[in-house]
Amino acid sequence: MGGSKIGGGLKPAEVENIVQKVGFGSVSRLMRSAETYPIWAGIKVGLELPITPAGGIGDYGDGQGTIGGVLLGPRLYLCKGLADGFEITFNFFQPRMLNTPGTFGAILKYNFVTEEKNWATSSVYVGYTSVSSFNSSKSSELNPVVAYNGTDIEVGAYASRDYVKLKPYAGLGVLLAHGEIDPELVVSQASAWQGTIHLFVGSEFEWPMNFTAQLDFMNLAMMGSMAFTFKF
């Protein structure tokens, strides 16, 4: 959080746009092929870096916001294989650690088609993300007030191919984001629901360190994320 602040005097349309930018941009991402890890050891752990264009939200309202042109939300990433084709992914970062959005998220994935019998591996998933971001411009150093609190819920399906060192994947989800702004910052409407179709493409690169890159398209806006992880 630190110095990043959302301005006051926000109109309802601006509140909705903030929910789109912050809520959609902070959603938990799979950052994985559609395969599932075995129950042992079956762990992928590292650092993820979502990148979201801020769309000028620092200039909303009274223009007293101090948010830059890009929202960077680094977070810890952990993926663990479970039994019977299930896999779970977690991400976590406290907003006070750095001047960034903070999240706690989880995705439960189920693999129902494998490449042993089909051309591609396919899975379905459901995800939940809690988001806490930025300071209110009405807060002080002695009394910081979180400007944005929200929740993301997503369900979807995706498929991938395994080329040993390269594992491309693509999928589609339905994403709902709810966000609430500090009431002192708004003209009338402090919260909003926003929904979108979440299209994404990405790939895992199997080097000594696993690198994953993913592009996300929400409401025709492009976002993305990178992950630097190790597999065990």
Side-chain angles (χ1 to χ4, degrees):
M1 285 166 35
S4 285
K5 296 181 179 181
I6 292 177
L10 299 171
K11 299 176 182 178
E14 293 175 324
V15 171
E16 293 172 0
N17 286 338
I18 291 172
V19 173
Q20 288 187 17
K21 294 297 182 182
V22 181
F24 294 170
S26 301
V27 69
S28 296
R29 292 167 169 84
L30 289 154
M31 309 303 293
R32 279 277 290 121
S33 71
E35 302 168 343
T36 53
Y37 290 137
I39 194 170
W40 182 261
I43 295 176
K44 178 179 177 179
V45 61
L47 179 69
E48 180 193 353
L49 180 63
I51 303 171
T52 305
I57 62 176
D59 297 325
Y60 283 3
D62 58 14
Q64 298 302 306
T66 58
I67 299 170
V70 177
L71 303 178
L72 298 176
R75 53 198 184 188
L76 304 177
Y77 177 96
L78 172 66
C79 182
K80 178 69 181 74
L82 305 174
D84 301 321
F86 285 93
E87 184 177 271
I88 192 163
T89 298
F90 294 101
N91 65 75
F92 172 81
F93 211 81
Q94 281 284 356
R96 292 187 181 278
M97 291 182 182
L98 288 174
N99 189 12
T100 62
T103 62
F104 174 80
I107 301 176
L108 182 64
K109 180 175 82 178
Y110 174 66
N111 174 223
F112 63 93
V113 174
T114 67
E115 287 186 43
E116 294 177 357
K117 298 181 180 180
N118 295 273
W119 180 81
T121 299
S122 299
S123 294
V124 293
Y125 66 91
V126 57
Y128 168 87
T129 313
S130 174
V131 187
S132 177
S133 298
F134 311 124
N135 276 343
S136 165
S137 60
K138 306 298 184 182
S139 65
S140 65
E141 292 294 331
L142 297 177
N143 184 33
V145 177
V146 175
Y148 179 96
N149 286 288
T151 300
D152 299 333
I153 300 172
E154 182 176 6
V155 295
Y158 75 124
S160 69
R161 284 279 291 173
D162 187 347
Y163 296 105
V164 186
K165 294 295 184 181
L166 183 68
K167 298 181 179 181
Y169 60 87
L172 180 150
V174 177
L175 171 61
L176 293 176
H178 177 262
E180 184 171 356
I181 307 294
D182 175 14
E184 292 191 10
L185 300 180
V186 304
V187 172
S188 59
Q189 176 183 319
S191 64
W193 282 94
Q194 293 289 293
T196 187
I197 298 299
H198 178 193
L199 300 172
F200 58 93
V201 295
S203 184
E204 287 189 275
F205 300 89
E206 295 290 354
W207 297 333
M209 171 183 284
N210 178 282
F211 172 71
T212 306
Q214 180 173 314
L215 286 178
D216 304 89
F217 301 89
M218 307 183 197
N219 282 356
L220 302 180
M222 186 174 70
M223 308 175 188
S225 193
M226 298 180 293
F228 302 88
T229 55
F230 290 97
K231 292 171 55 179
F232 302 95

mmCIF file of all heavy atoms in Angstrom, residues 1-2 47 72-77 91-105 130-134 146 149:
data_model
loop_
_atom_site.group_PDB
_atom_site.id
_atom_site.type_symbol
_atom_site.label_atom_id
_atom_site.label_comp_id
_atom_site.label_asym_id
_atom_site.label_seq_id
_atom_site.Cartn_x
_atom_site.Cartn_y
_atom_site.Cartn_z
ATOM 1 N N MET A 1 0.843 -1.171 0.000
ATOM 2 C CA MET A 1 0.000 0.000 0.000
ATOM 3 C C MET A 1 0.889 1.234 0.000
ATOM 4 O O MET A 1 1.037 1.898 -0.983
ATOM 5 C CB MET A 1 -0.955 -0.011 1.187
ATOM 6 C CG MET A 1 -2.069 -0.994 0.980
ATOM 7 S SD MET A 1 -3.035 -1.380 2.440
ATOM 8 C CE MET A 1 -3.086 0.106 3.344
ATOM 9 N N GLY A 2 1.509 1.551 1.105
ATOM 10 C CA GLY A 2 2.458 2.637 1.118
ATOM 11 C C GLY A 2 1.857 3.906 0.578
ATOM 12 O O GLY A 2 0.846 4.378 1.042
ATOM 13 N N LEU A 47 7.428 -17.380 -7.162
ATOM 14 C CA LEU A 47 6.920 -16.009 -7.145
ATOM 15 C C LEU A 47 6.177 -15.732 -8.441
ATOM 16 O O LEU A 47 6.676 -16.021 -9.529
ATOM 17 C CB LEU A 47 8.072 -15.016 -6.992
ATOM 18 C CG LEU A 47 7.695 -13.535 -6.984
ATOM 19 C CD1 LEU A 47 6.923 -13.187 -5.718
ATOM 20 C CD2 LEU A 47 8.947 -12.661 -7.088
ATOM 21 N N LEU A 72 1.321 -3.533 -10.325
ATOM 22 C CA LEU A 72 2.175 -4.710 -10.152
ATOM 23 C C LEU A 72 1.815 -5.359 -8.817
ATOM 24 O O LEU A 72 1.874 -4.712 -7.780
ATOM 25 C CB LEU A 72 3.652 -4.317 -10.168
ATOM 26 C CG LEU A 72 4.167 -3.685 -11.458
ATOM 27 C CD1 LEU A 72 5.620 -3.271 -11.290
ATOM 28 C CD2 LEU A 72 4.035 -4.660 -12.626
ATOM 29 N N GLY A 73 1.454 -6.619 -8.850
ATOM 30 C CA GLY A 73 1.025 -7.295 -7.621
ATOM 31 C C GLY A 73 1.785 -8.571 -7.355
ATOM 32 O O GLY A 73 1.215 -9.655 -7.473
ATOM 33 N N PRO A 74 3.088 -8.519 -7.019
ATOM 34 C CA PRO A 74 3.844 -9.752 -6.764
ATOM 35 C C PRO A 74 3.222 -10.551 -5.632
ATOM 36 O O PRO A 74 2.696 -9.988 -4.672
ATOM 37 C CB PRO A 74 5.236 -9.236 -6.377
ATOM 38 C CG PRO A 74 5.003 -7.846 -5.878
ATOM 39 C CD PRO A 74 3.873 -7.311 -6.711
ATOM 40 N N ARG A 75 3.260 -11.856 -5.756
ATOM 41 C CA ARG A 75 2.687 -12.703 -4.716
ATOM 42 C C ARG A 75 3.358 -14.071 -4.715
ATOM 43 O O ARG A 75 3.877 -14.531 -5.733
ATOM 44 C CB ARG A 75 1.177 -12.834 -4.900
ATOM 45 C CG ARG A 75 0.712 -13.291 -6.274
ATOM 46 C CD ARG A 75 -0.758 -12.971 -6.461
ATOM 47 N NE ARG A 75 -1.301 -13.467 -7.714
ATOM 48 C CZ ARG A 75 -2.520 -13.188 -8.166
ATOM 49 N NH1 ARG A 75 -3.323 -12.409 -7.448
ATOM 50 N NH2 ARG A 75 -2.954 -13.675 -9.312
ATOM 51 N N LEU A 76 3.343 -14.697 -3.575
ATOM 52 C CA LEU A 76 3.879 -16.039 -3.430
ATOM 53 C C LEU A 76 2.926 -17.028 -4.072
ATOM 54 O O LEU A 76 1.698 -16.899 -3.956
ATOM 55 C CB LEU A 76 4.092 -16.361 -1.952
ATOM 56 C CG LEU A 76 4.977 -15.389 -1.187
ATOM 57 C CD1 LEU A 76 5.051 -15.781 0.287
ATOM 58 C CD2 LEU A 76 6.374 -15.319 -1.792
ATOM 59 N N TYR A 77 3.484 -18.042 -4.717
ATOM 60 C CA TYR A 77 2.693 -19.005 -5.492
ATOM 61 C C TYR A 77 3.016 -20.414 -5.018
ATOM 62 O O TYR A 77 4.189 -20.776 -4.873
ATOM 63 C CB TYR A 77 3.027 -18.859 -6.980
ATOM 64 C CG TYR A 77 2.344 -19.840 -7.902
ATOM 65 C CD1 TYR A 77 1.166 -19.499 -8.570
ATOM 66 C CD2 TYR A 77 2.885 -21.104 -8.119
ATOM 67 C CE1 TYR A 77 0.548 -20.391 -9.429
ATOM 68 C CE2 TYR A 77 2.269 -22.014 -8.969
ATOM 69 C CZ TYR A 77 1.094 -21.650 -9.630
ATOM 70 O OH TYR A 77 0.483 -22.551 -10.477
ATOM 71 N N ASN A 91 -2.191 -18.442 -3.745
ATOM 72 C CA ASN A 91 -1.315 -17.274 -3.858
ATOM 73 C C ASN A 91 -1.563 -16.372 -2.667
ATOM 74 O O ASN A 91 -2.663 -16.342 -2.110
ATOM 75 C CB ASN A 91 -1.537 -16.536 -5.181
ATOM 76 C CG ASN A 91 -2.919 -15.932 -5.282
ATOM 77 O OD1 ASN A 91 -3.214 -14.909 -4.655
ATOM 78 N ND2 ASN A 91 -3.781 -16.558 -6.074
ATOM 79 N N PHE A 92 -0.513 -15.637 -2.272
ATOM 80 C CA PHE A 92 -0.624 -14.823 -1.057
ATOM 81 C C PHE A 92 0.364 -13.673 -1.095
ATOM 82 O O PHE A 92 1.518 -13.835 -1.474
ATOM 83 C CB PHE A 92 -0.331 -15.682 0.173
ATOM 84 C CG PHE A 92 -0.232 -14.898 1.454
ATOM 85 C CD1 PHE A 92 -1.371 -14.509 2.128
ATOM 86 C CD2 PHE A 92 1.001 -14.529 1.968
ATOM 87 C CE1 PHE A 92 -1.286 -13.773 3.311
ATOM 88 C CE2 PHE A 92 1.101 -13.790 3.142
ATOM 89 C CZ PHE A 92 -0.047 -13.409 3.809
ATOM 90 N N PHE A 93 -0.126 -12.490 -0.717
ATOM 91 C CA PHE A 93 0.781 -11.362 -0.485
ATOM 92 C C PHE A 93 0.055 -10.294 0.319
ATOM 93 O O PHE A 93 -1.080 -9.930 0.008
ATOM 94 C CB PHE A 93 1.284 -10.754 -1.800
ATOM 95 C CG PHE A 93 2.664 -10.179 -1.682
ATOM 96 C CD1 PHE A 93 3.775 -10.996 -1.760
ATOM 97 C CD2 PHE A 93 2.858 -8.835 -1.471
ATOM 98 C CE1 PHE A 93 5.056 -10.480 -1.646
ATOM 99 C CE2 PHE A 93 4.129 -8.306 -1.348
ATOM 100 C CZ PHE A 93 5.231 -9.131 -1.436
ATOM 101 N N GLN A 94 0.704 -9.796 1.360
ATOM 102 C CA GLN A 94 0.138 -8.735 2.178
ATOM 103 C C GLN A 94 0.414 -7.382 1.526
ATOM 104 O O GLN A 94 1.558 -7.106 1.145
ATOM 105 C CB GLN A 94 0.752 -8.752 3.579
ATOM 106 C CG GLN A 94 0.177 -9.817 4.491
ATOM 107 C CD GLN A 94 -1.201 -9.441 5.009
ATOM 108 O OE1 GLN A 94 -1.695 -8.362 4.750
ATOM 109 N NE2 GLN A 94 -1.822 -10.356 5.731
ATOM 110 N N PRO A 95 -0.588 -6.504 1.388
ATOM 111 C CA PRO A 95 -0.349 -5.223 0.721
ATOM 112 C C PRO A 95 0.659 -4.344 1.430
ATOM 113 O O PRO A 95 1.289 -3.493 0.801
ATOM 114 C CB PRO A 95 -1.747 -4.571 0.710
ATOM 115 C CG PRO A 95 -2.495 -5.254 1.809
ATOM 116 C CD PRO A 95 -1.969 -6.664 1.839
ATOM 117 N N ARG A 96 0.830 -4.524 2.734
ATOM 118 C CA ARG A 96 1.784 -3.678 3.452
ATOM 119 C C ARG A 96 3.233 -4.125 3.256
ATOM 120 O O ARG A 96 4.154 -3.422 3.663
ATOM 121 C CB ARG A 96 1.442 -3.649 4.949
ATOM 122 C CG ARG A 96 0.136 -2.927 5.237
ATOM 123 C CD ARG A 96 -0.098 -2.772 6.728
ATOM 124 N NE ARG A 96 -1.357 -2.116 6.997
ATOM 125 C CZ ARG A 96 -1.559 -0.809 6.971
ATOM 126 N NH1 ARG A 96 -0.555 -0.009 6.691
ATOM 127 N NH2 ARG A 96 -2.746 -0.293 7.228
ATOM 128 N N MET A 97 3.446 -5.294 2.651
ATOM 129 C CA MET A 97 4.817 -5.723 2.397
ATOM 130 C C MET A 97 5.488 -4.807 1.370
ATOM 131 O O MET A 97 6.646 -4.455 1.485
ATOM 132 C CB MET A 97 4.824 -7.168 1.885
ATOM 133 C CG MET A 97 4.414 -8.202 2.919
ATOM 134 S SD MET A 97 4.503 -9.872 2.223
ATOM 135 C CE MET A 97 3.936 -10.854 3.600
ATOM 136 N N LEU A 98 4.730 -4.437 0.340
ATOM 137 C CA LEU A 98 5.227 -3.546 -0.707
ATOM 138 C C LEU A 98 4.072 -2.632 -1.117
ATOM 139 O O LEU A 98 2.930 -2.822 -0.700
ATOM 140 C CB LEU A 98 5.719 -4.349 -1.924
ATOM 141 C CG LEU A 98 7.034 -5.125 -1.761
ATOM 142 C CD1 LEU A 98 7.281 -5.969 -3.004
ATOM 143 C CD2 LEU A 98 8.206 -4.197 -1.528
ATOM 144 N N ASN A 99 4.385 -1.694 -1.974
ATOM 145 C CA ASN A 99 3.396 -0.721 -2.428
ATOM 146 C C ASN A 99 2.553 -1.332 -3.557
ATOM 147 O O ASN A 99 2.561 -0.859 -4.685
ATOM 148 C CB ASN A 99 4.138 0.523 -2.917
ATOM 149 C CG ASN A 99 3.185 1.657 -3.190
ATOM 150 O OD1 ASN A 99 2.019 1.612 -2.811
ATOM 151 N ND2 ASN A 99 3.687 2.682 -3.849
ATOM 152 N N THR A 100 1.822 -2.417 -3.272
ATOM 153 C CA THR A 100 1.125 -3.179 -4.299
ATOM 154 C C THR A 100 -0.193 -3.713 -3.758
ATOM 155 O O THR A 100 -0.412 -3.746 -2.547
ATOM 156 C CB THR A 100 1.967 -4.396 -4.730
ATOM 157 O OG1 THR A 100 2.145 -5.263 -3.605
ATOM 158 C CG2 THR A 100 3.319 -3.978 -5.261
ATOM 159 N N PRO A 101 -1.088 -4.191 -4.671
ATOM 160 C CA PRO A 101 -2.277 -4.897 -4.204
ATOM 161 C C PRO A 101 -1.899 -6.154 -3.428
ATOM 162 O O PRO A 101 -0.904 -6.813 -3.733
ATOM 163 C CB PRO A 101 -3.005 -5.250 -5.510
ATOM 164 C CG PRO A 101 -2.513 -4.253 -6.506
ATOM 165 C CD PRO A 101 -1.079 -3.992 -6.130
ATOM 166 N N GLY A 102 -2.697 -6.478 -2.414
ATOM 167 C CA GLY A 102 -2.493 -7.704 -1.651
ATOM 168 C C GLY A 102 -3.602 -8.687 -1.943
ATOM 169 O O GLY A 102 -4.756 -8.301 -2.153
ATOM 170 N N THR A 103 -3.268 -9.974 -2.000
ATOM 171 C CA THR A 103 -4.278 -10.986 -2.305
ATOM 172 C C THR A 103 -4.087 -12.223 -1.444
ATOM 173 O O THR A 103 -2.988 -12.511 -0.959
ATOM 174 C CB THR A 103 -4.206 -11.436 -3.779
ATOM 175 O OG1 THR A 103 -2.932 -12.041 -4.035
ATOM 176 C CG2 THR A 103 -4.412 -10.275 -4.726
ATOM 177 N N PHE A 104 -5.175 -12.945 -1.278
ATOM 178 C CA PHE A 104 -5.133 -14.341 -0.845
ATOM 179 C C PHE A 104 -6.084 -15.093 -1.745
ATOM 180 O O PHE A 104 -7.279 -14.763 -1.814
ATOM 181 C CB PHE A 104 -5.545 -14.525 0.614
ATOM 182 C CG PHE A 104 -5.626 -15.982 0.997
ATOM 183 C CD1 PHE A 104 -4.472 -16.680 1.296
ATOM 184 C CD2 PHE A 104 -6.842 -16.649 0.997
ATOM 185 C CE1 PHE A 104 -4.522 -18.041 1.605
ATOM 186 C CE2 PHE A 104 -6.901 -18.002 1.308
ATOM 187 C CZ PHE A 104 -5.736 -18.690 1.617
ATOM 188 N N GLY A 105 -5.578 -16.082 -2.477
ATOM 189 C CA GLY A 105 -6.426 -16.778 -3.435
ATOM 190 C C GLY A 105 -6.177 -18.273 -3.460
ATOM 191 O O GLY A 105 -5.117 -18.751 -3.037
ATOM 192 N N SER A 130 -9.374 -13.051 -2.509
ATOM 193 C CA SER A 130 -9.664 -11.895 -1.670
ATOM 194 C C SER A 130 -8.614 -10.831 -1.964
ATOM 195 O O SER A 130 -7.416 -11.126 -1.973
ATOM 196 C CB SER A 130 -9.621 -12.287 -0.191
ATOM 197 O OG SER A 130 -9.772 -11.158 0.642
ATOM 198 N N VAL A 131 -9.066 -9.596 -2.212
ATOM 199 C CA VAL A 131 -8.174 -8.519 -2.642
ATOM 200 C C VAL A 131 -8.244 -7.345 -1.673
ATOM 201 O O VAL A 131 -9.333 -6.932 -1.264
ATOM 202 C CB VAL A 131 -8.545 -8.019 -4.059
ATOM 203 C CG1 VAL A 131 -7.500 -7.016 -4.559
ATOM 204 C CG2 VAL A 131 -8.688 -9.176 -5.032
ATOM 205 N N SER A 132 -7.090 -6.803 -1.312
ATOM 206 C CA SER A 132 -7.019 -5.616 -0.450
ATOM 207 C C SER A 132 -5.948 -4.703 -1.026
ATOM 208 O O SER A 132 -4.784 -5.100 -1.118
ATOM 209 C CB SER A 132 -6.671 -6.017 0.986
ATOM 210 O OG SER A 132 -6.537 -4.897 1.816
ATOM 211 N N SER A 133 -6.365 -3.464 -1.407
ATOM 212 C CA SER A 133 -5.436 -2.640 -2.173
ATOM 213 C C SER A 133 -5.465 -1.163 -1.790
ATOM 214 O O SER A 133 -6.538 -0.609 -1.545
ATOM 215 C CB SER A 133 -5.758 -2.736 -3.676
ATOM 216 O OG SER A 133 -5.607 -4.046 -4.145
ATOM 217 N N PHE A 134 -4.316 -0.552 -1.759
ATOM 218 C CA PHE A 134 -4.110 0.889 -1.718
ATOM 219 C C PHE A 134 -4.600 1.541 -0.419
ATOM 220 O O PHE A 134 -5.305 0.960 0.375
ATOM 221 C CB PHE A 134 -4.787 1.559 -2.924
ATOM 222 C CG PHE A 134 -4.464 0.911 -4.216
ATOM 223 C CD1 PHE A 134 -5.466 0.448 -5.049
ATOM 224 C CD2 PHE A 134 -3.154 0.730 -4.603
ATOM 225 C CE1 PHE A 134 -5.164 -0.181 -6.245
ATOM 226 C CE2 PHE A 134 -2.840 0.115 -5.797
ATOM 227 C CZ PHE A 134 -3.854 -0.341 -6.617
ATOM 228 N N VAL A 146 -7.524 1.263 4.331
ATOM 229 C CA VAL A 146 -7.518 0.544 3.067
ATOM 230 C C VAL A 146 -8.614 1.107 2.163
ATOM 231 O O VAL A 146 -9.767 1.264 2.579
ATOM 232 C CB VAL A 146 -7.747 -0.964 3.296
ATOM 233 C CG1 VAL A 146 -7.867 -1.695 1.957
ATOM 234 C CG2 VAL A 146 -6.601 -1.548 4.103
ATOM 235 N N ASN A 149 -11.415 -3.111 -0.925
ATOM 236 C CA ASN A 149 -11.520 -4.506 -0.500
ATOM 237 C C ASN A 149 -12.468 -5.218 -1.455
ATOM 238 O O ASN A 149 -13.546 -4.686 -1.783
ATOM 239 C CB ASN A 149 -12.054 -4.617 0.931
ATOM 240 C CG ASN A 149 -11.017 -4.215 1.960
ATOM 241 O OD1 ASN A 149 -10.046 -4.934 2.205
ATOM 242 N ND2 ASN A 149 -11.207 -3.047 2.568
#
